[in-house]
Every structure is written in C-alpha cells, then in structure tokens.
Amino acid sequence: RGDQMAVASVYLEVEAKRAASEAGVWVDFSHNAWFAELGLTHVRRLYLDLNSDELRAEDRFTPATGARGRRVIAYAVHFHLAPEVEAVVARDHRSVLLRGPSAKGWWLRNDATDVRVEPSVHFREGRQVATQQVVLLGHIHAEKGGRVRWKLTAVQ
C-alpha cells in the first residue's frame, strides 16, 4: 500500500494561475496526471481577449527533463457541447461552426491534425441527453512534446 500512495501522489500536482488587464484575462492550468505513464505534463493556457471577444488557447504537452525514446503519442482534445448546440466541420477540416438557439454562431479554429464531430452525452436534471462533441486529434513525439492551438471567434 505504501507504493500505491507514492504513485498516487504524483497525480496530485495541479496548478492554476490567473492574470487580468483591461485588454484581457490569462488563465493557465497544468497537471502531471500523465507523467507516470507517458512522461508528459499538460498545460492549458487560455486568453480571453476583451476587445475582440475571442478566446484563444493552447494545450501544451511537455516532456520530462531528459526524456528519451522515439515514442509517438496520440492526443485527443474534447469539447463536449450543450444539447442545443450544433457543430459542423467546415470544408477546410480545421474549423468547426458552432450554432446554438440564438442567431449568433462561433468558429472553433485549430491547428490539430484532424478535427471531428462525434456523439456525446449531457446530463440534465439527472437525465442523459444526446449531444455532440468536437474532438481535436493529433500526435506528438514523447521526447519533444508538442502543442495544439485553438480559438473561438464570433461568426462575422
């Protein structure tokens, strides 16, 4: 049991930082939940630009110091949507149009290798409701790490 506790403590390192100005808000989150298995730390950096009404983000996968090997690791970044939101992949296969009950739409743009819209579920008042999720897919090299960038912008 002592060994299990030592391994479990590796997963407890989570950090969150926030900084704000008149131009926008930065929020950084990081965790090392994948460190024991994959040798990677995950950092999600969000920036809400108050002037352009745009949310920009980056998911970074950072290898351990001295990581070796040429393993390729697949990643999938999931965005679970409310049931009222419809998602459609654009012709460029890099953007997803999101539309809710209002007339306003949003583009989710990204630099992932592949983007898909897949079925998902949402729980509302204890009931399971069918919905969609946007999934950004790609690969990184374990010894180099990698990143995927994405942003939400209003449809003009």
Side-chain angles (χ1 to χ4, degrees):
R1 298 237 180 242
D3 290 342
Q4 289 175 340
M5 291 302 290
V7 172
S9 68
V10 171
Y11 297 99
L12 297 178
E13 293 182 27
V14 175
E15 290 185 32
K17 297 176 187 170
R18 181 182 184 277
S21 70
E22 290 181 17
V25 179
W26 279 103
V27 182
D28 290 338
F29 303 95
S30 66
H31 70 83
N32 67 342
W34 302 325
F35 192 80
E37 183 180 346
L38 303 173
L40 296 171
T41 299
H42 174 240
V43 176
R44 173 168 283 172
R45 181 161 234 214
L46 302 170
Y47 178 70
L48 180 59
D49 187 326
L50 299 175
N51 296 320
S52 68
D53 202 21
E54 181 176 271
L55 175 66
R56 293 188 291 270
E58 176 182 77
D59 284 282
R60 259 190 345 261
F61 310 99
T62 307
T65 304
R68 293 188 180 160
R70 300 191 61 96
R71 289 184 310 154
V72 175
I73 299 170
Y75 70 78
V77 178
H78 298 260
F79 298 91
H80 296 271
L81 305 174
E84 301 80 18
V85 177
E86 179 186 4
V88 178
V89 177
R91 288 185 205 153
D92 67 3
H93 297 282
R94 296 261 187 235
S95 305
V96 179
L97 178 60
L98 303 171
R99 288 207 184 268
S102 73
K104 190 171 187 176
W106 294 85
W107 284 109
L108 174 62
R109 302 183 193 280
N110 67 89
D111 63 3
T113 305
D114 191 19
V115 61
R116 297 180 187 164
V117 174
E118 298 179 351
S120 185
V121 294
H122 178 84
F123 290 92
R124 183 174 284 161
E125 297 176 9
R127 294 190 183 138
Q128 185 174 320
V129 179
T131 188
Q132 297 177 304
Q133 65 178 315
V134 177
V135 185
L136 308 181
L137 301 160
H139 294 85
I140 61 168
H141 293 276
E143 74 280 2
K144 294 180 188 175
R147 70 178 184 190
V148 59
R149 295 174 295 182
W150 51 272
K151 67 180 179 176
L152 271 173
T153 57
V155 172
Q156 300 300 323

